[in-house]
Amino acid sequence: ETGVTQSPTHLIKTRGQQVTLRCSSQSGHNTVSWYQQALGQGPQFIFQYYREEENGRGNFPPRFSGLQFPNYSSELNVNALELDDSALYLCASRTDRRLNYGYTFGSGTRLTVV
Amino acid sequence: SQQGEEDPQALSIQEGENATMNCSYKTSINNLQWYRQNSGRGLVHLILIRSNEREKHSGRLRVTLDTSKKSSSLLITASRAADTASYFCATDLSGYSTLTFGKGTMLLVSP
């Protein structure tokens, strides 16, 4: 159903540690966005990359950072993890050739910070 | 911050009945999208309606958009148990921008 793959699916980290989450988008999808979804809430926008450059950022601190690579993969890095960072992290991608079509989401990485 | 707000927060119906979910938003938009999420996993895109459209159909789904009231509704006809999921509306302000989601409606369809 989805052409976006996220890894790992589940992760447990300790407060203060650093984590890297990975996303592999569909070929040709040059726009990738990352979202954080807390339990019982809607997804919150973290940042977006277009052709390997950040072109939008939500209300998240600088310890949330990302990269997009030429092979349509991307990563989300979170430093100095806090308990409130526990959430489902979703990657979504689309092509700029079909702007009025929805994003394709991955299945997410569930991060637990203890 | 949440741009869209879905109503109701939860909806429980029997198979075969219709389910209607509403979404309100605050600012002008380029388009509004509806997504489904099963059991806290990834979101699946259902339908997109542009700001110059008033109604759109896709299979058993019907979406309406009233830009004067800044609201949208999603109707699922002849619901099935497999429709049990959370449904989110998301607004796209410019067609190039990111999505702003509401908190979602949890739909439970009982056999």
Side-chain angles (χ1 to χ4, degrees), chain A:
Chain A
E1 178 178 45
T2 177
V4 178
T5 304
Q6 291 188 243
S7 63
T9 55
H10 294 83
L11 196 55
I12 300 175
K13 303 290 282 187
T14 302
R15 187 172 51 184
Q17 286 187 317
Q18 178 267 344
V19 68
T20 297
L21 310 182
R22 293 184 171 83
C23 172
S24 178
S25 302
Q26 290 182 209
S27 178
H29 279 203
N30 48 22
T31 300
V32 64
S33 301
W34 284 88
Y35 292 82
Q36 180 196 66
Q37 186 178 21
L39 202 61
Q41 300 294 315
Q44 295 284 314
F45 170 66
I46 302 175
F47 47 61
Q48 176 170 284
Y49 280 80
Y50 174 66
R51 295 185 177 180
E52 302 163 48
E53 291 196 7
E54 184 179 300
N55 74 339
R57 189 174 184 90
N59 189 25
F60 280 81
R63 60 189 184 85
F64 285 78
S65 63
L67 287 171
Q68 183 186 26
F69 304 101
N71 65 352
Y72 306 111
S73 67
S74 64
E75 62 182 39
L76 162 67
N77 299 288
V78 187
N79 294 321
L81 284 166
E82 301 177 359
L83 297 180
D84 285 348
D85 296 334
S86 295
L88 180 68
Y89 288 85
L90 296 161
C91 166
S93 69
R94 70 177 182 184
T95 171
D96 62 359
R97 290 189 294 271
R98 302 179 74 189
L99 288 174
N100 278 315
Y101 289 81
Y103 279 86
T104 301
F105 278 79
S107 295
T109 294
R110 184 162 298 282
L111 172 65
T112 302
V113 182
V114 298

Side-chain angles (χ1 to χ4, degrees), chain A residues 1 9-10 33 35 37 40-45 47-48 55-56 88 90 94 99-108 110, chain B residues 1-2 30-31 33 35-37 39-45 48 50 56 88 92 95-104:
Chain A
E1 178 178 45
T9 55
H10 294 83
S33 301
Y35 292 82
Q37 186 178 21
Q41 300 294 315
Q44 295 284 314
F45 170 66
F47 47 61
Q48 176 170 284
N55 74 339
L88 180 68
L90 296 161
R94 70 177 182 184
L99 288 174
N100 278 315
Y101 289 81
Y103 279 86
T104 301
F105 278 79
S107 295
R110 184 162 298 282
Chain B
S1 63
Q2 306 284 152
N30 176 277
N31 65 75
Q33 304 175 31
Y35 287 82
R36 184 188 74 219
Q37 184 176 41
S39 302
R41 301 306 295 176
L43 280 78
V44 175
H45 177 253
L48 179 152
R50 300 183 183 87
K56 204 163 183 180
F88 295 90
D92 184 342
Y96 294 85
S97 67
T98 60
L99 299 177
T100 304
F101 287 86
K103 293 184 178 181

